[in-house]
Amino acid sequence: MATVADPSEEQILRSAVELILDPSFSPANLDEQLGRIDPELASFATWRALTTLERFLPADTPWSVRVRSLRRRSFYAHSIALEAAARVSQQLALTGTEHALYGDLALALRHPNPGDRPVHAVVFTIAEDADTSVIGNALASFPKIMVDHVDAHRITGRIEGIELRIEKGWLPCPWYRRVPLTNQLIERPESNPSTDQPIPLLADAAEIIRLLELGGSGATDRTWPLDIARLEASDAPRLAAELGRTAFLIDQWESATDLGLFQTVPAPKLRGTPGEWLKRATTSRHRSIRRSARVAVGLLGEHPRHR
């Protein structure tokens, strides 16, 4: 997906990140920056940033009117997704399936108000030994939940137009190897907003790794800093090292630091000898070339050997 290129849009994104990190922050020259951008051409990242900066927007302008509209739609989607996620989580718990919610809804739950963040999908990771056919049959009995596909590795469906996906293991990036779901990847909150039953969430450190890898590969839009700013980063370097993913994070970690993130958290360190570092870098480069080729011919997808 396209990234933010316009200097004014980049500054708006930076201001939103800084406001999340420091609620006393006040953006300078926001009116001037908005004056350089056509609302019809503004990127999705800019609209998400402006949702964070809403109280600083000039009243009754195309910007403030559309941001209010986006917030209402996000609130509606959040409500539907949260209700469905609570039902799915309850069913997974009843079948004794270890699970964790991640992605859109899980990140939205880190924001102070429903509607602060768009929700396009409800995504769960489940234990490798889970029986997807049993889970799929159970979910199909719920009203408003449509199960479209069940195989040995995943369940996909819809909830009133919102994507539902349940996958064995955690897949940080579509072209990388699955990581088994373990206790270190699960955060178990005592409560969740608007639900009586807490929903296990993917740990902050794991979400950060996922967001950095997606952002660095160009597989997601430029909104990833707005999500990372809501997450606790202290365990991310350790988890990255344990999972052997530091070779894919270094450059993107520097980009995040440049945006004001991770200022007090040291970057992950590559383990091994310089020769091993070179091998990893070369392998990463080859993967990038192969990935670009797959995109070019429309064949991007998960190979069975990566499952």
Side-chain angles (χ1 to χ4, degrees):
M1 294 186 180
T3 59
V4 173
D6 184 279
S8 294
E9 291 193 274
E10 179 71 15
Q11 186 54 51
I12 289 171
L13 178 67
R14 288 174 176 272
S15 295
V17 170
E18 189 163 352
L19 180 62
I20 294 171
L21 297 173
D22 178 10
S24 66
F25 170 77
S26 180
N29 304 321
L30 182 58
D31 291 359
E32 181 180 342
Q33 292 158 11
L34 292 174
R36 300 192 186 113
I37 306 169
D38 182 347
E40 300 302 322
L41 300 178
S43 67
F44 175 63
T46 296
W47 287 111
R48 265 205 62 195
L50 290 175
T51 302
T52 300
L53 297 168
E54 182 179 13
R55 71 175 183 268
F56 300 104
L57 293 175
D60 300 324
T61 64
W63 299 103
S64 59
V65 171
R66 190 172 298 184
V67 164
R68 288 196 297 269
S69 175
L70 291 172
R71 185 178 292 280
R72 285 193 297 270
R73 282 184 284 178
S74 295
F75 178 87
Y76 177 68
H78 182 282
S79 302
I80 294 172
L82 184 58
E83 179 184 358
R87 290 183 179 182
V88 172
S89 178
Q90 183 179 35
Q91 189 59 47
L92 291 171
L94 289 174
T95 60
T97 303
E98 193 76 280
H99 63 284
L101 178 73
Y102 72 99
D104 281 3
L105 180 59
L107 293 168
L109 290 173
R110 267 86 166 194
H111 289 249
N113 303 301
D116 282 351
R117 186 196 191 282
V119 177
H120 302 113
V122 174
V123 188
F124 281 93
T125 170
I126 58 176
E128 296 282 349
D129 60 355
D131 190 329
T132 53
S133 60
V134 171
I135 297 170
N137 290 335
L139 294 178
S141 65
F142 282 109
K144 299 182 180 179
I145 295 181
M146 301 293 295
V147 176
D148 297 328
H149 175 79
V150 179
D151 62 31
H153 301 279
R154 65 185 63 77
I155 301 167
T156 59
R158 290 163 288 120
I159 310 156
E160 294 193 14
I162 298 173
E163 179 187 4
L164 170 65
R165 192 167 72 252
I166 302 171
E167 298 183 339
K168 284 188 178 182
W170 167 51
L171 196 64
C173 249
W175 41 81
Y176 294 153
R177 187 180 301 108
R178 290 181 185 275
V179 177
L181 181 62
T182 60
N183 282 330
Q184 72 168 337
L185 297 178
I186 303 176
E187 175 187 328
R188 304 181 191 277
E190 296 181 1
S191 63
N192 282 110
S194 306
T195 63
D196 296 327
Q197 176 184 329
I199 303 173
L201 305 175
L202 192 69
D204 281 13
E207 283 282 21
I208 286 173
I209 291 171
R210 184 182 71 87
L211 289 165
L212 287 176
E213 290 186 348
L214 288 172
S217 67
T220 188
D221 55 67
R222 192 73 169 88
T223 61
W224 57 265
L226 299 171
D227 289 320
I228 289 180
R230 301 280 184 186
L231 301 172
E232 172 54 53
S234 59
D235 284 342
R238 176 188 57 79
L239 181 59
E242 290 178 3
L243 296 177
R245 311 193 76 83
T246 52
F248 304 104
L249 296 183
I250 299 300
D251 289 344
Q252 193 68 355
W253 192 281
E254 291 178 358
S255 297
T257 302
D258 180 58
L259 281 158
L261 305 165
F262 308 151
Q263 296 290 357
T264 61
V265 182
K269 294 182 179 179
L270 286 170
R271 292 184 175 181
T273 65
E276 290 172 332
W277 300 347
L278 178 61
K279 181 179 178 181
R280 290 174 186 168
T282 304
T283 302
S284 176
R285 174 61 177 165
H286 287 171
R287 282 180 180 151
S288 177
I289 293 171
R290 289 197 300 270
R291 183 164 64 248
S292 298
R294 288 199 299 269
V295 172
V297 298
L299 296 178
L300 179 62
E302 183 186 0
H303 194 281
R305 68 183 176 87
H306 291 161
R307 291 175 178 170

